[in-house]
Amino acid sequence: MTDFATLPPVPVPNPDTQPYWDALKDGKLKLCRCVETGKWIHPPLERSRYTGGPVRFEEVSGKGTVYSYIVVRQALIPGREAPYVIALVDIAEQPGVRLSAYLDAAPEEVKIGQEVEARIVDLGDSGYRVPIFVPRQESSSVA
């Protein structure tokens, strides 16, 4: 697994994102959800984009599938060696709601449709934690 000890940037939470970051500190992946419709919303918003009503944060499974990805071949972040993969992951709870995150896999092993799951890792000694994704062992992939 990649060492995140030297990786900037450190998050700067705002009122909309604070519950997301607080949940990660507690080892949970929670996303914003419309109270009235039950639809997930990411990135988080103060009010539901569907109804304008209230939202709350609820835990998700962390399971999903790779919707898209890029292979970063030029090191842009101090302490991070290229190549590495940044994936756009559809969460299992609601396809179309996607998280962008580091995917801990060799670039040649990543496939669109690949099943992945989140791991929550420390972001150095910043006090923050971030989700990364890893391939699921029983993964099936779409070509």
Side-chain angles (χ1 to χ4, degrees):
M1 182 173 290
T2 296
D3 178 17
F4 281 80
T6 59
L7 296 179
V10 173
V12 180
N14 62 39
D16 293 343
T17 64
Q18 188 68 55
Y20 173 79
W21 296 111
D22 289 345
L24 287 169
K25 284 182 182 180
D26 291 336
K28 297 177 181 177
L29 181 58
K30 290 186 176 184
L31 298 181
C32 185
R33 194 171 198 186
C34 175
V35 170
E36 295 174 43
T37 66
K39 292 183 179 180
W40 299 95
I41 302 166
H42 191 78
L45 297 171
E46 177 183 19
R47 309 295 292 167
S48 171
R49 72 169 47 110
Y50 303 106
T51 66
V55 296
R56 66 174 169 245
F57 281 75
E58 294 182 15
E59 192 169 3
V60 293
S61 66
K63 294 179 182 177
T65 56
V66 174
Y67 175 80
S68 183
Y69 67 96
I70 61 168
V71 177
V72 178
R73 298 194 183 279
Q74 180 177 349
L76 301 172
I77 299 174
R80 174 68 66 86
E81 290 185 34
Y84 58 91
V85 178
I86 301 296
L88 194 54
V89 176
D90 265 330
I91 65 167
E93 287 78 1
Q94 185 178 317
V97 174
R98 301 180 180 118
L99 297 175
S100 176
Y102 176 80
L103 177 57
D104 195 9
E108 63 275 7
E109 296 174 358
V110 179
K111 305 276 188 267
I112 301 296
Q114 182 175 15
E115 293 179 357
V116 294
E117 59 189 345
R119 298 279 187 265
I120 299 171
V121 300
D122 291 332
L123 187 59
D125 60 2
S126 68
Y128 284 95
R129 301 181 86 194
V130 294
I132 67 167
F133 285 91
V134 297
R136 289 181 54 199
Q137 295 302 328
E138 64 276 12
S139 178
S140 62
S141 55
V142 177

